[in-house]
Amino acid sequence: MNALALVSQLGGVVLAVALAPLLAGWVAQCRAWLQSRSAPSLLLPYRTLRKLFRKDAALATQASPLFRAAPYAVFGAMATAAAIIPSVTTDLPLARVADAIALVGLFATARMFIALAAMDIGAVFGSMGARREMLIGFLAEPALLMVLFNAFLMFGSTALPTIVKGTLDADGLTLHPSLAFAGVAFVMVLLAENARIPIDNPGTHLEVTMIHESMVLEYSARHLALIEWASWLKLFNYACIGFTLFVPWGIAPHTAGPLGLLLAIVWLLAKLAVAGAVLAVIETVSAKLRIFRAPEFLSMAFLLAVLGLLVHLLLQS
Amino acid sequence: MHGVSALTTTTALTAVLVLVASWLLIGALGLVQSNRIGWVARTLFPLGALIALGVAGLGVVSLTTGFAAQTGVLAFGLPDMPFHVRLDALSGFFLLLLGSAGAGISIFAAGYFREGEGTAPGLLCLQYHVFLASMALVVLADDAYLFMVAWETMALSSYFLVTTQHRIPEIQRAGFLYLLMAHVGALALLLCFGVLHGGSWLMTFDSMRAATLSPAWAAAAFLLALFGFGAKAGLVPLHVWLPEAHPAAPSPVSAMMSGLMLKVAVYGMLRISFDLLHAGPWWWGMLTLAVGLGTALFGAVFAAVQTDMKRLLAYSSIENIGLIFAALGLALLCYAFDMRLLAALALAAALLHALNHALFKSLLFLATGSVLHATHERSLGKLGGLIRRMPWVATLALVGTLSLAGLPPLNGFVSEWLLLQAFLSTPSIPHAFTNMIVPLGAAVVALTAALAGYVMVKFYGVIFLGQPREPSLMQAHDAGWLERVGLAWLALGCILIGVFPQAALDAIAGVTQTLLGTTIQRGPTPWWIAPVAQAQASYNGLWLLLGMAGVIAMMFVLVRRMYHGRVRRVPPWNCGYPELTPRMQDTAEGFGQPIRHMFGPFFRIEREVPSPDDQAPRYRIQIDDRFWHGLYLPLARIVGWLADALSMLQRGRLAIYLLYSFLTLIVLLVFVL
């Protein structure tokens, strides 16, 4: 473990935490353009955070310590997840600490804490949101794991840097049919897990349709800021997982120097810009599904990922 | 170290036997003043916990100092059939499991049992310790005779414990069903041992190891073992007794049955399939894997729709047993193709999950016991908000909840991680179709693990969070200090295994070495595991914990430093609706509704919905097991019909009975002569 690796490890986390609100702002801006609305500032999420951190926290009288601790736990899990995803470089000392399965586990930890916190107050929407979130979660989590499994089988490793290296070192561009299935499944999981249309609407405030929003209704000020930040970070993490699995080009290899790292950051920004725009297009052209249709949507993602697995195994033998 | 190894070679087995005997002695002492709770609960149960610690310690000793088996012959039993005992790595590991979880349960029980709840405390103490001792003896037995004696003692003592409150008809029924299933299973085991001796009529395990069975007989023995141990462990479709018996028993007993007794069945399966039968053709593994995965999914789906907290945990036990058997099946499958390393990985996953489940499921069952004592409510529909009245129990139960949900950095995650890693390597199985079907098992494991998270949010959220659903809950009190110590001990185990997974895997290495002749790769440090190769996968519990804790601490300090920590206490916002009653929260039924909706065909649902103009509308929904109506009730009808047919023989006249005896004698004489 050299100094540069340590710097890029810490820098990667700081970069993710710092860029996550920007990505959220970019997606919101693209959506507004596509829907011919006047777009909010790209920096709006940062201002929201500053505003929320400054306010006094209004805490429900019956809130337990769990309710106050949950935002920190959620943020902690998401930031740790950011540390093990090779977004800029594959030289991540921490990636050996936790592999992609642990990554799914970290997402599950965040989900569990936010759902438990939502049930803590005992208000009407909290437990409803928790139930819906866990429903989405229990279908999306195995689907994500199966998407990752496709990559594991290809490169014989659950460590994300190894997967990236495997794709980068391959001679020429080989198309893997299984990755096509996995790719579609991954996008579906990304939409569901990040409270995006067609499963949830990040802009909604209509009680009966919301999932993520209804869980955080009772939060305010710094707690809300942490939760919102964590959810942006989650979108960022998902985008970076997508890059490592499907478009790893531009990620700096182990041997890269400081200049290579800078170049990799530029690559990352470019990919994020494209991904955010694509996400905005998907959100604009699709309609929100009824909540009862969400399981169908996600089981389709799960089955697609499993199908990808089967295709890989069939072609291999 | 030299002293320890000297201890192993000479006295470890003797010491274990002495400890087991002292459990029996403690049980007997309970009868001396059987109604004095101070004597029985505050003195004898803690002593039993100390002995459990000793048993766990000796288990560790037998696992760490060489893996040589020790055998001995006891001066009990029939004249020419003495009891044989043996302590090897496999029994050592299960003694560790039994002792470490048993110690926590016993300490908790010391604070839990009180007067006026069914059986007298002294008698309860006897049954409890006989149960513990018989489980240890099953693990130590080295001949079929002692094994069956201990196995039946285990079944009977636990039956009496289940029916502690024997005046309640429901509990009588649950106890009877349990006894029935236990004996159906035991019959299969008797037949299994009958096959295993291979015509030598020697009942020691040594001679069974040496016996050569034809493939057909070996398969018969394996299937009988799977049936017998499956009935005890709760494999579908032999699981029906589990959700009845676990809730009926007092909570420490539920914890013992779920945490320990089910694992003894896993032990038996390992002993017979790997040790006595030397594993077999690949389809054994395939069958066990399929049954295990089916059981896991079934248990998880049913746990999600339960409304009784202990039934929910019982179904969750079925799920976990399913995962353990799936891992065991995978180990058998890989062993059949001589993929030793992969088999060792799967076996390690099975054993670690068994240990983890013993810890977190005992913890949760005990927590329900505390809740039950504080509120006298078992139904999830009448609980809620207990985190404010019972902070200790709620905090410790949270550890168990997160472990069961398989979240890092706790212990449940480690075993599921190992199991997924094992599945990852299955495409290299040299057998067409198998290498395509088996990797898909990972999908079932992933789905089950994710469902467990759903179930656990429901369990914890409905009991401990939200507003109290009944006014009486405001009087709930936290658990006493003995109960807290017991819960804390188990929670500590969950955390330690999660943070130092390699330490637990070191203990398991002895078992895989003994059974499979190989072990998985050793991680570089006690907290860092890399079971196959560093490049393929590694997991570091301690660093992950420190990483998360570091981020959280830094964020906390930053927010407080840069801004402030001001808090205003206000009524909940609730989207501006002023009236907020406890009935507005999700009920347990409501929380399970999406699962009921999605997995409809799994259930047999009876629903009563009021008509639109009902003055006093009542909703009722009952969710039943399809196996009960599709398999068990028809079976019971056939048995009843056969019994009716046989009753033709019962004429009630002495002369006819004498005639039967005479005819029997004649027939037997014809045979003999």
Side-chain angles (χ1 to χ4, degrees), chain A residues 1 50 53-64 66 68 72-73 75-77 79-80 94-99 101-102 105-106 108-109 112-113 115-117 119-125 127-128 130-131 134-135 137-139 141-142 145-146 149 152-153 156-159 162 207 210 217-218 222-223 226 229 292 295 302 306 309-310 313-314 316-317, chain B residues 387-388 398 401-402 405-408 413 417 420-421 423-424 427 435-436 439-440 442-444 446-447 449-451 453-454 456-458 460-462 464-467 528 534-540 543-544 547-548 551-552 555-556 559-560 563-575 577 580-581 584-586 590-595 597-599:
Chain A
M1 197 190 302
R50 200 179 56 179
F53 274 124
R54 278 186 179 169
K55 284 186 164 185
D56 280 10
L59 209 60
T61 35
Q62 65 259 48
S64 71
L66 178 74
R68 299 177 70 170
Y72 292 97
F75 189 87
T80 315
L94 270 179
R96 292 227 314 267
V97 166
D99 62 353
I101 300 176
L106 282 171
T109 310
M112 185 111 171
F113 268 103
L116 286 177
M119 293 182 83
D120 186 50
I121 302 295
V124 183
F125 300 109
S127 57
M128 184 196 73
R131 166 173 28 124
M134 291 315 287
L135 173 70
F138 105 77
L139 288 163
E141 187 186 315
L145 206 54
M146 286 305 109
F149 224 79
F152 301 166
L153 286 187
S157 169
T158 57
T162 316
E207 291 91 340
M210 58 195 180
L217 272 176
E218 298 296 330
R222 58 173 182 274
H223 301 126
L226 282 172
W229 204 350
F292 293 119
F302 181 61
V306 173
L309 216 61
L310 204 59
L313 295 168
L314 269 172
Q316 185 197 41
S317 58
Chain B
I387 193 171
R388 287 174 273 281
L398 182 63
T401 304
L402 298 178
L407 300 183
F413 175 75
W417 187 85
L420 285 171
Q421 290 292 349
F423 270 109
L424 176 65
N435 61 1
M436 274 186 256
L440 301 185
V444 183
L447 190 63
L451 251 176
Y454 187 97
M456 279 300 110
V457 168
K458 169 176 170 170
Y460 194 82
V462 174
F464 292 107
L465 304 176
Q467 306 172 61
W528 201 335
Q534 273 279 3
Q536 179 173 333
S538 61
Y539 170 71
N540 187 330
W543 282 33
L544 190 68
M548 277 174 79
V551 172
I552 291 171
M555 218 46 217
F556 186 76
V559 169
R560 285 293 168 93
Y563 298 99
H564 55 83
R566 285 196 295 275
V567 161
R568 229 163 4 102
R569 287 286 184 168
V570 292
W573 181 52
N574 198 28
C575 281
Y577 297 111
L580 185 61
T581 70
M584 291 177 178
Q585 307 170 88
D586 256 11
F591 211 90
Q593 187 269 344
I595 304 294
H597 196 79
M598 283 181 62
F599 293 92

Side-chain angles (χ1 to χ4, degrees), chain B residues 481-494:
Chain B
W481 70 272
L482 278 170
E483 296 185 22
R484 284 183 210 169
V485 170
L487 291 173
W489 168 259
L490 294 167
L492 189 69
C494 291

